[in-house]
Every structure is written in structure tokens, then in C-alpha cells.
Amino acid sequence: MDTHSRRSFLKLACAGTGLLALAPYSSFLLAENRQAMPFGNAFVVPPLDQGLRQGKQVRFVLNMQQGKMAFLPGMETPTLGINAPYSGPVLHARKGDDVSLQVNNRTEEASILHWHGFRLPAVMDGGPHQSIPPGGSWTARFEVRQDASTCWYHSHQHNQTGQQVYRGLAGMFIIDDDRIGTLDIPSRYGVDDLPVIIQDRDFNADGSFRYISMMPERMHGKHGSTILVNGVVTPTLQAQSTLLRLRVLNGSNARIYKLAFHDNRAFQVIASDGGFLPQAATVRQLVLAPGERAELLVDVADRKAIVLKSLRGAIVANDGMMGGMMARMMGNMGFDQELDILRIDASQAETSSHRRPQALIRPTLLNPRDARLSRTIQISMGMMGGGMMMGGMMNRRGGGMDGMFTINGKAFDMDRIDFEAKRDTPEIWEVSNDSPMQHPFHIHNVQFQILERNGRGVAAHETGLKDTVLVNPNETVRLLMVFQHYSDGHTPYMYHCHNLEHEDQGMMGQFVVV
Ligand code: C2O
Ligand code: CU
Ligand code: CU
């Protein structure tokens, strides 16, 4: 069979008998061709892990392990997971809890889990300095100080974060607090309050994950053409309620999504990385970069079937020569294509008792006038500055690009502390991007406010607390923050680009709080 008749055959097989019918024919097929039935998979709600609770003490046991998952029909993909073959449980704790998270590394490689979005002691952060050897264990203990929010956890192994997250070492971490009960919003986990972890993957013909295979994937970060939602290829969610709260996490290594529904319906953004927005923001599109979270309220009272998509135009390159070249290259590589993510079938939905809120719970915000100092953070791609871009890249042996990804002119060094911050002293970071592509900039141990983008105020959905901000080419974002509660002159926290390939190649620095 040629490719075309193979595809038509697939369609027929699917239409008649469902996906199982594909299995016997699997040997004909390349992995890429195995998505003939879009939305044929059911949405999966990851298990909720509330730990073992005694009063305010909550204990979690997390086993990092190797596994196998059938993402594609008739194919097994070797994976990594946490208490599961791929990915991990959705952890749940409350503000004020004392959590302990025992992480057992049952894989064959050194690894570590980082608690992304949390304010915690540096030694509990789960950064590269807390790496766990194969067979080893490490326990993080800290008080949950966040307001209700959607955080996450993922591998942060030095130089290996990209490939370990790609294979599955990531999950969601939900925080609740006492005030949330006063809000009339959907909050039944798995019913009308749903985690939506979006990741993009490529597969080899044998079903294994295809991580970086060529130079542009190093430069732009690994993008894949198959979308997983909670570890399932473009699933269908049977909505149980006419108002859905989707906790969307961009858990992808590098892909930026421009989220929208196929019918362009409006939806509300009620929370960003660090919790609720001051006010719900009604939008039709939302750009979400790797590491960022957004809680969305989606009204499906019309009981239609809708598709959550990523639209073209998520990629912004600067308009100089380099930027034009970069944009074309990324377009050609499929880094900015339109993609289907999730279908929501509301035909069976029950009428929700919740209404779309206007007022939310106001986050505690700082006053910029209280800032005591400001820092300059310059994100660069070393070889791109002058006219040497192509020459510089091509001359590098073995496709490596060490020294290319820098912050303030330096690539990451585990043994170098880049600066000290003072506890309880508000500061402003001015983060500039002089490279031709976008970078999602993340800071550990803090939830900051975005004051300005290039001197202008930010859109409503960016007025809440954040720990990751997408910085466009030729853009300077001003961030206001304070490091509270903890100081430790020896153990650093990280700040870095959350494009994991950029991070692994050096676009990261570290600071201590004293
Ligand atoms: Cu989500 Cu330093 O990471
Ligand atoms: Cu983090
Ligand atoms: Cu980057």
C-alpha cells in the first residue's frame, strides 16, 4: 500500500470498528501515520494524590520509575513517571500545610523533582543541587505558603531536564486555601475542575519518543507534532457540567500555544501561575508558554462539541533580518502550526449551578515604590548578535551549541552564584531579550508581578501573580517581587528560560537569598 491508500484504509478501519482494529496492521505504519482517528481517545483525569494527612502534616511518597505507555495504537513507548508509567499524580495540599514529599529515585539515572511555583527553603527546592542518584531518596519538607493556585513539579536534573521531562517526569500540584470556598466556581476535581496538561511529542517508527534529532531542535527547543493532554493523544472530554474550570499547564519543553476554541468562543481566565487574577479576564485567545499555567472557565451551556486548538501566530520573532530568518525557519519546521489539542463534547453535560464570576479573590500585591533595587537581566543567544549567526552555528562541532544560550553574557555554571538578594526587600528585575526568539523566563521561590512590557501596562490576564513570563524579542519586562521567609547563603535558587533545551544548554543563573 502506498501512503495514501494506507491512510484511507486506516480511516475505514477506524470508522467501522474503532481503534482496536488498527492493531493488526501496525507493522505497515510509521508512527506519524497513526493518528487517523482524531479525538478517538477518552480524556484521562490523572489520579489525585492528597497524601497521608495528620492534621496539617501531609506526607507524599513519590517514586520516580521507568515504564511503558501505549500512546499510539499497538505501540509501546518507553517512559518515565512518578507512581505511574508516564507523568505523575496531581498532588493536592492546602495553604498552611506542612508537606513532606519523599522522592525515591527508582530509575537508572540521577534525577530530582522541583516544586515549580512554590516559595520554600532553597534546600527543599528540588533544583540541580539536590540531585538524587539512582536508587537514592530525598525528602522535601516545607510549609505551603501559596494562595490557592495551580503549580507543578518536574525534573530539574542538571543538563538532563529536557529529556527527563520529555519522557514523563512532570505532574501538576494544586494548592487550595480557606478563602476559595467563598468563590462560586467549579471545584469538583475530575468533574468540573479538570487538569489539562498539554505536551507535544514526536515518536519514532518503533513507538519510542523521538527527542532531539537535529540542530534546529537544539536552537529552538524540542517541538513535537503529536499533542498529549494528560498523557493521551488529542482526547475527547465528555463534559459533565455546562461550566468547566480547566487548569491548563503548558508542560511542553519548548512549544508556545495560542489557545482558542475552533468556534472562537470567549472564555474567562480566572487564575495565572500564582493564583487568582484580581478580576476575571474574558478573552478569545490566550498565549501560554512552557511553564505557565492558566485556569480557564469555559461555558458549554450550548451543549455543542468544541475543539480547543492552538492557532498559528504563537511565534513572535523580531523584525530584523535575524528575526525574519528565525520566523521563517520556525514556520518551516512546524513550530508555529495550527494544532488540535482537546475536543469537548458537552452533549451530555448537566446544567452547572455556578455562574461565571466577575470578582475573584484579590491577590496581595506589592507597590513598585517600595522596591529597593533593580536588576538587569539580559537574555541572549550568543552567536546571534553579530552577523555570524549561521557561520557561528555551523562551525560548531557535533551540533552542540554550548555558550550560545546566556543570561547576562554567561552560560550556567553550578559553581557560580550570580547574585545575592536580600530577604523581605522588594526588588525589580528588568528582563530584556536581545535574541531573535521568545523566551519564557522563570524565577524560583517567588511569585512576581509584571509591571510593564516595553513601558506599557500588561493585559488583564497578566495582572496577577506569576512565576514565568514570556519575553518577546526586543522586549523588556519589568517584574516586581520580594523573597520572603527564607534565607540561606549557601544554597541557590535558579532563574532561567523555561524552554528546557535552552535551560539545559546554559540559559540559567542562580541566586541566594540572604
Ligand atoms: Cu519549572 Cu526551574 O523550573
Ligand atoms: Cu521553578
Ligand atoms: Cu529560551
Side-chain angles (χ1 to χ4, degrees):
M1 270 190 273
D2 63 28
T3 312
H4 182 262
S5 50
R6 216 181 279 155
R7 285 216 187 96
S8 337
F9 180 63
L10 263 179
K11 272 193 198 130
L12 267 175
C14 287
T17 47
L19 276 175
L20 280 180
L22 287 180
Y25 309 105
S26 57
S27 54
F28 292 123
L29 303 166
L30 283 176
E32 280 87 339
N33 291 340
R34 295 174 162 248
Q35 294 159 42
M37 195 159 88
F39 309 121
N41 298 317
F43 181 88
V44 165
V45 178
L48 189 70
D49 185 347
Q50 303 195 265
L52 228 72
R53 180 177 286 275
Q54 279 187 305
K56 294 224 168 266
Q57 321 265 35
V58 191
R59 193 168 167 262
F60 297 90
V61 178
L62 301 175
N63 296 319
M64 294 195 281
Q65 58 196 52
Q66 286 153 211
K68 283 196 168 82
M69 268 287 278
F71 297 101
L72 305 172
M75 294 267 211
E76 284 198 321
T77 306
T79 50
L80 294 175
I82 303 111
N83 300 351
Y86 177 81
S87 191
V90 171
L91 306 179
H92 179 274
R94 301 182 68 84
K95 183 177 185 179
D97 283 347
D98 276 309
V99 296
S100 86
L101 301 123
Q102 182 188 325
V103 184
N104 302 317
N105 183 359
R106 305 224 166 121
T107 74
E108 283 156 16
E109 57 207 278
S111 190
I112 184 64
L113 292 180
H114 163 63
W115 322 106
H116 178 130
F118 284 79
R119 286 178 282 159
L120 34 56
V123 290
M124 303 301 175
D125 189 40
H129 294 271
Q130 286 89 43
S131 176
I132 314 170
S137 292
W138 170 74
T139 301
R141 282 195 191 83
F142 54 89
E143 181 185 339
V144 177
R145 296 182 178 274
Q146 324 312 96
D147 292 334
S149 51
T150 302
C151 295
W152 64 304
Y153 60 99
H154 60 79
S155 161
H156 216 304
Q157 179 64 28
H158 182 47
N159 284 153
Q160 304 297 323
T161 298
Q163 62 95 358
Q164 291 190 352
V165 170
Y166 200 80
R167 288 192 287 153
L169 289 184
M172 188 177 278
F173 200 148
I174 294 176
I175 305 300
D176 266 336
D177 62 22
D178 291 337
R179 301 185 305 169
I180 199 169
T182 65
L183 279 185
D184 181 27
I185 55 171
S187 48
R188 289 175 294 163
Y189 182 80
V191 179
D192 56 9
D193 179 352
L194 300 153
V196 176
I197 305 173
I198 306 175
Q199 298 175 311
D200 57 333
R201 296 290 183 265
D202 280 332
F203 294 88
N204 293 309
D206 64 358
S208 60
F209 281 136
R210 187 166 72 219
Y211 189 50
I212 290 178
S213 58
M214 47 190 172
M215 196 280 291
E217 295 183 325
R218 286 188 188 282
M219 186 161 73
H220 300 119
K222 175 64 194 177
H223 291 66
S225 54
T226 299
I227 297 293
L228 305 181
V229 174
N230 302 340
V232 177
V233 177
T234 47
T236 293
L237 166 69
Q238 294 296 338
Q240 297 181 58
S241 170
T242 54
L243 189 63
L244 301 173
R245 175 181 178 189
L246 305 182
R247 296 177 187 259
V248 184
L249 157 64
N250 183 347
S252 307
N253 282 34
R255 187 180 287 279
I256 300 165
Y257 299 92
K258 188 176 192 176
L259 302 174
F261 289 96
H262 82 284
D263 61 357
N264 200 31
R265 74 178 52 200
F267 54 96
Q268 287 187 302
V269 187
I270 57 168
S272 56
D273 305 338
F276 290 107
L277 298 176
Q279 206 142 39
T282 301
V283 299
R284 290 176 198 278
Q285 297 178 352
L286 180 70
V287 171
L288 203 67
E292 287 187 302
R293 290 86 71 205
E295 293 185 28
L296 313 180
L297 287 185
V298 183
D299 188 336
V300 291
D302 58 6
R303 294 192 167 73
K304 295 209 166 106
I306 54 174
V307 177
L308 177 64
K309 302 178 75 85
S310 180
L311 304 179
R312 289 189 57 121
I315 301 288
V316 176
N318 71 19
D319 29 12
M321 207 246 312
M322 289 307 162
M325 201 149 82
M326 185 68 71
R328 260 196 314 282
M329 196 192 275
M330 296 187 78
N332 293 341
M333 299 291 302
F335 297 163
D336 194 18
Q337 81 241 57
E338 188 170 311
L339 290 165
D340 291 337
I341 295 173
L342 167 68
R343 178 169 169 265
I344 300 175
D345 176 354
S347 58
Q348 310 296 318
E350 284 173 22
T351 305
S352 175
S353 63
H354 304 287
R355 248 164 295 139
R356 293 186 294 170
Q358 275 314 313
L360 298 164
I361 299 169
R362 287 194 79 81
T364 314
L365 299 177
L366 299 168
N367 187 331
R369 278 189 301 249
D370 294 333
R372 286 288 159 269
L373 84 157
S374 80
R375 300 182 193 283
T376 307
I377 304 280
Q378 181 70 53
I379 302 175
S380 306
M381 291 169 69
M383 284 304 184
M384 319 297 283
M388 10 179 352
M389 173 170 122
M390 281 331 227
M393 272 171 354
M394 295 315 173
N395 288 338
R396 285 158 187 271
R397 300 253 162 87
M401 289 193 279
D402 293 340
M404 176 165 187
F405 299 91
T406 60
I407 296 181
N408 290 345
K410 293 176 195 144
F412 179 66
D413 179 349
M414 284 269 273
D415 300 322
R416 184 190 70 234
I417 306 282
D418 293 279
F419 59 84
E420 291 184 351
K422 285 216 172 21
R423 195 180 77 178
D424 298 325
T425 308
E427 43 184 80
I428 288 176
W429 291 26
E430 294 198 349
V431 186
S432 305
N433 173 8
D434 68 5
S435 83
M437 63 178 287
Q438 297 149 291
H439 302 277
F441 184 74
H442 169 54
I443 312 173
H444 287 208
N445 184 42
V446 79
Q447 291 292 336
F448 52 73
Q449 293 154 240
I450 310 176
L451 298 176
E452 287 171 358
R453 288 181 175 275
N454 276 352
R456 276 186 286 271
V458 295
H461 70 271
E462 288 196 317
T463 54
L465 293 174
K466 299 275 296 163
D467 55 53
T468 306
V469 55
L470 185 61
V471 188
N472 291 308
N474 292 331
E475 193 170 46
T476 298
V477 297
R478 294 183 80 225
L479 312 175
L480 175 62
M481 71 200 81
V482 63
F483 303 102
Q484 292 170 292
H485 310 300
Y486 307 108
S487 54
D488 175 342
H490 298 287
T491 311
Y493 299 101
M494 311 289 130
Y495 56 96
H496 57 88
C497 177
H498 221 287
N499 178 313
L500 298 182
E501 285 65 47
H502 291 181
E503 175 192 334
D504 278 341
Q505 292 174 97
M507 200 173 264
M508 176 152 72
Q510 41 189 4
F511 66 102
V512 290
V513 179
V514 295

